[in-house]
């Protein structure tokens, strides 16, 4: 029961985190300063805390499942660290765009969407298959 509740909370936090990252990547791809300011506040209040919660709950799931000696979990942790780094890079670009008053910013962020999707796909495959 505790494992199931932890897993559900982990997934909810993950969905919130990924949704926030996707919104930031799209805002960088199609810049509009008014949206970027709102997303910066949203990330600070919602997406970043959701990331921390997802990471902590993921550690809890690993402990509850006894998987810390599994190779697949080691690979997943590396990918999750990359995904967290991607979040940091996105937020950094967003903050710079807002700070520079980027109403005339050039579109960028396309690579973030592809890299994020690739990392997320690999993470889900590892968790599902547990090779």
């Amino acid at each position: 029961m505790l494992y199931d509740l932890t897993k559900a909370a982990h997934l909810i936090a993950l969905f919130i985190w990924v949704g926030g990252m996707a919104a930031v990547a799209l805002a960088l791809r199609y810049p509009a300063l008014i949206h970027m300011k709102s997303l910066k506040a949203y990330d600070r209040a919602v997406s970043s805390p959701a990331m921390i919660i997802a990471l902590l709950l993921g550690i809890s799931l690993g402990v509850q499942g006894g998987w810390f000696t599994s190779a697949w979990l080691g690979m997943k942790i590396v990918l999750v660290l990359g995904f967290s780094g991607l979040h940091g890079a996105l937020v950094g670009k967003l903050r710079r765009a807002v700070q520079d008053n980027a109403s005339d910013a050039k579109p960028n962020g396309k690579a973030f969407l592809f890299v994020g999707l690739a990392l997320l796909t690999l993470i889900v495959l590892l968790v599902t298959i547990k090779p």
Side-chain angles (χ1 to χ4, degrees):
M1 176 78 166
L2 176 62
Y3 179 83
D4 292 332
L5 290 173
T6 305
K7 188 175 185 180
H10 175 69
L11 289 172
I12 291 166
L14 181 64
F15 295 151
I16 293 168
W17 175 25
V18 170
M21 284 180 65
V24 170
L26 288 170
L28 291 170
R29 182 78 179 120
Y30 304 103
L33 186 60
I34 190 166
H35 299 299
M36 291 179 156
K37 286 181 178 178
S38 298
L39 275 173
K40 182 181 170 196
Y42 180 84
D43 180 77
R44 179 167 283 151
V46 179
S47 297
S48 289
M51 175 187 71
I52 293 166
I53 291 168
L55 294 173
L56 292 173
L57 291 172
I59 292 168
S60 177
L61 288 169
V63 169
Q64 290 177 43
W67 294 317
F68 276 100
T69 58
S70 303
W72 70 267
L73 185 59
M75 291 187 297
K76 181 193 175 210
I77 289 170
V78 170
L79 293 172
V80 169
L81 289 173
F83 198 70
S84 299
L86 182 66
H87 178 242
L90 278 168
V91 171
K93 278 190 163 291
L94 178 66
R95 287 181 183 154
R96 283 188 295 281
V98 169
Q99 184 179 10
D100 295 342
N101 201 14
S103 55
D104 59 346
K106 294 180 187 175
N108 62 32
K110 185 176 182 181
F112 286 114
L113 290 170
F114 291 116
V115 171
L117 181 61
L119 286 170
L120 194 57
T121 300
L122 291 171
I123 290 167
V124 169
L125 283 172
L126 283 171
V127 169
T128 305
I129 298 170
K130 293 181 178 69

